[in-house]
Amino acid sequence: MSTLLLIEQVLNGLQLGVMLFLMAAGLTLIFGVMGLINLAHGSLYMVGAFAAAAVAAATGSFLLALAASLAAAAAAGAVIELGVIRRLYDRDHLDQVLATFALILVFSEGTRWIFGSFPLFLEVPDYLSGPVTLFGGIQYPLYRLVIILAGLGIAAGLFLLIGRTRIGIQIRAGEADREMIAALGIDITRLYTLVFALGAALAGLAGALVGAIQSVQVGMGEPVLILAFVVIVIGGIGSVKGALVGALLVGLTDTLGRSFLPGLFGLIMEPAAATTVGSALASMAIYILMAGVLLFRPRGLFGVA
Amino acid sequence: MSIARTISTAAIAAAIALGAASARAEGVKVGMITTLSGGGAGLGIDARDGFMLAVKQAGDAGIEVIIEDDQRKPDVAVQLADKMIQSDKVDVLTGIIWSNLAMAVVPAAVAQGKFYLSVNAAPSALAGKGCNPNYFSVAYQNDNLHEAAGAYIANAGYKKPFILAPNYPAGKDSLTGFKRFYTGELAGEVYTKLGQTDYAAEIAQIRASGADSVFFFLPGGMGISFMKQYADSGVGLPVVGPAFSFDQGILGAVGEAALGVKNTSQWSKDIDNAANKAFVESFQAEYGRLPSLYAAQGFDTANLLISALAKADISDADAFRAALEAADFASVRGDFAFAPNNHPIQDIYVREVIKEGEVITNKIVGVAIEDRSNAYVDECKM
């Protein structure tokens, strides 16, 4: 294993982590502010990817496609918040899980109904495609670098929004005490719709960014949703800072585990067995990480007791 | 009774006779369980459309097809099979795409004396020790396309392929099948997580491994993701895979990233025979899209059934079984016969992904293995 390969894999891990953060940030915001478990978050990710693919096919512009993903996911988020989610805030988590699971089915079949059963085409625009040469001669895809930078930029923007703006103060206050903030004359229902749409837009953007290098298909959101839940459990439910740290931890653990565990086992076992054991363990690595974190910090790294 | 009344009564009677063909002695009731919703729906829809096209072309062959969606869930497939066998009283089951669903449904169905004709899934467990006289795979045995890829890599003179597949039974079978026909050195062998969507780590390993070619088996969305990311990485080594990742339904989503990739398939739209030409044309005319591998398999499955019905009555199971074994139908693949364990003996081709006008599609560039049967014939005792 060379140092360059290690650096390349660390970059890959960061990129996966940043994408997971975009998903997890919305999920954790929604849970933190409204106490809602939203299984349909993966569907909003899918909505973003499909909107981007449709707009890219119609206009040929990747930037327009990204804008469309934000708008479509935010709109879908606002619509389900007004129509369905709003009725769930006072119900227990089981009701929320049931209702949002139903939303997954509705979104999946609805998308299939509109776009058909075959995966859609969405590609990296020419000006972002292909590899660039980094320090030390590492060949790294430009698009993935752009994802890392864009994701970190969005994370910074989100922290500014929550830490420095009036809306951010309301969001934090809503998290702490929703009756009090309502009593102080803040329109809490409007705030909830706004936060939900914001979380949805982030998921939609993640879907569009990732859709360019993955498969835009019905059901694409559910595997990512599971990872996003792992991220927010590790980071501490409700904490955006925790979501960032958790996402990067999960991204790095998953990528580095997949790349190096089979090789490490190869040092002490015969190759066939090492491949089997290494791959199996790599698949479990993030869940072992989660179990380990929960053992020492039952509320996650940045969770509030 | 007036003349008009008589005519309309006759028309209704005819319509009823057409609709309820099972009422006729020589009719057959087919239960099709396939995936029509969710992520894998494209495959099931193609298999269904190919099957129904053949049924339609046969005219009134006395076939009634009941189609249900298994949602790609084994438990749903089992319930549907029970319902079809118990209350719909079907004679023949077909349609399952995924091997894990086939494993859940097929053994119980054939144990109850039903026939099962597989349009796609053909796990090794049902080809070897678990084979059954009433179970026929019309598509292939699961290992076939991977074996052909191994044979192609060996014949093309590559010395150090890097191979990868998902970490589940079909993935392991894939790499085992590949290594059955490629016995040289490997640059690396990697099992990825099932459903994985990001392959940056694996692509970096490929780049660092000194490989001269890449073989991968990543069905569905996994393959689309891998190919797009691979093309964007600039690694640029030649890629070989089974047809699943380069089939018509998927190529549109991969785009030009797939151009030049070699893939192995028992069917291609340019196989030169009359049955295939007619199939490709009529499928396009009927559904407005190019047929895929799965559509061709569905079409052949229905035609096999129709050919057997012409020879024997379904109520005489032994005669009907013998008629199926004879495989006396014009396969879109050309030569087609069943091995003793009821899996096909057929040529496996190498196709290359090309651009035909604006459409990305495949053309045959050679034969990987001629008259390939399967590795499990000797294990099958029936």
Side-chain angles (χ1 to χ4, degrees), chain A residues 52-64:
Chain A
V55 169
T59 65
S61 161
F62 189 67
L63 288 176
L64 278 182

Side-chain angles (χ1 to χ4, degrees), chain A residues 5 8-9 12 15-16 109 112 117-124 128-131 139-141 143-144 211-218 223 254-255 258-259 275-276 279-280 283 286, chain B residues 36-39 41-43 45-46 167 172 189-191 193 195-202 204-205 207-208 220-221 224-225 228-229 232-234 249-250 252-256 289:
Chain A
L5 181 61
E8 186 176 351
Q9 299 291 31
N12 287 332
Q15 183 257 321
L16 182 61
E109 287 317 294
R112 214 169 61 75
S117 308
F118 297 100
L120 291 195
F121 177 65
L122 177 66
E123 71 173 340
V124 176
L128 292 179
S129 69
Q139 294 265 306
Y140 199 74
Y143 187 74
R144 287 182 186 270
I213 50 170
Q214 289 183 7
S215 167
V216 180
Q217 63 179 12
V218 172
D254 190 52
T255 305
R258 265 154 51 204
S259 358
T275 310
T276 318
S279 320
S283 302
I286 57 166
Chain B
L36 302 172
S37 63
L43 287 65
I45 287 171
D46 267 5
N167 198 2
K172 301 211 161 133
E189 178 176 356
V190 163
Y191 286 108
K193 220 179 334 181
Q196 185 173 324
T197 49
D198 192 280
Y199 292 93
E202 286 74 17
Q205 277 175 278
R207 198 200 303 270
I224 298 176
S225 302
K228 283 165 103 170
Q229 293 165 28
D232 201 39
S233 72
I250 277 180
V254 185
E256 299 196 350
R289 63 177 194 271

Side-chain angles (χ1 to χ4, degrees), chain A residues 90 103 126 195 240:
Chain A
D90 298 330
L103 282 175
D126 284 340
V195 170
V240 177

Side-chain angles (χ1 to χ4, degrees), chain A residues 128-184:
Chain A
L128 292 179
S129 69
V132 288
T133 309
L134 301 180
F135 53 88
I138 299 176
Q139 294 265 306
Y140 199 74
L142 175 60
Y143 187 74
R144 287 182 186 270
L145 278 184
V146 172
I147 289 186
I148 295 177
L149 294 178
L152 291 178
I154 290 166
L158 203 55
F159 282 115
L160 282 180
L161 177 79
I162 291 173
R164 296 268 185 275
T165 64
R166 189 165 182 80
I167 295 265
I169 294 171
Q170 293 177 357
I171 290 174
R172 279 180 292 149
E175 235 168 299
D177 192 333
R178 70 190 71 178
E179 281 80 18
M180 189 49 113
I181 182 175
L184 287 173

Side-chain angles (χ1 to χ4, degrees), chain B residues 229-283:
Chain B
Q229 293 165 28
Y230 183 80
D232 201 39
S233 72
V235 171
L237 298 170
V239 174
V240 180
F244 316 117
S245 299
F246 302 96
D247 211 54
Q248 206 59 50
I250 277 180
L251 279 177
V254 185
E256 299 196 350
L259 287 181
V261 170
K262 303 284 195 299
N263 62 98
T264 50
S265 175
Q266 85 286 7
W267 177 83
S268 182
K269 78 177 183 5
D270 56 342
I271 292 178
D272 194 11
N273 65 58
N276 196 38
K277 278 202 186 95
F279 162 64
V280 174
E281 271 172 29
S282 56
F283 189 92

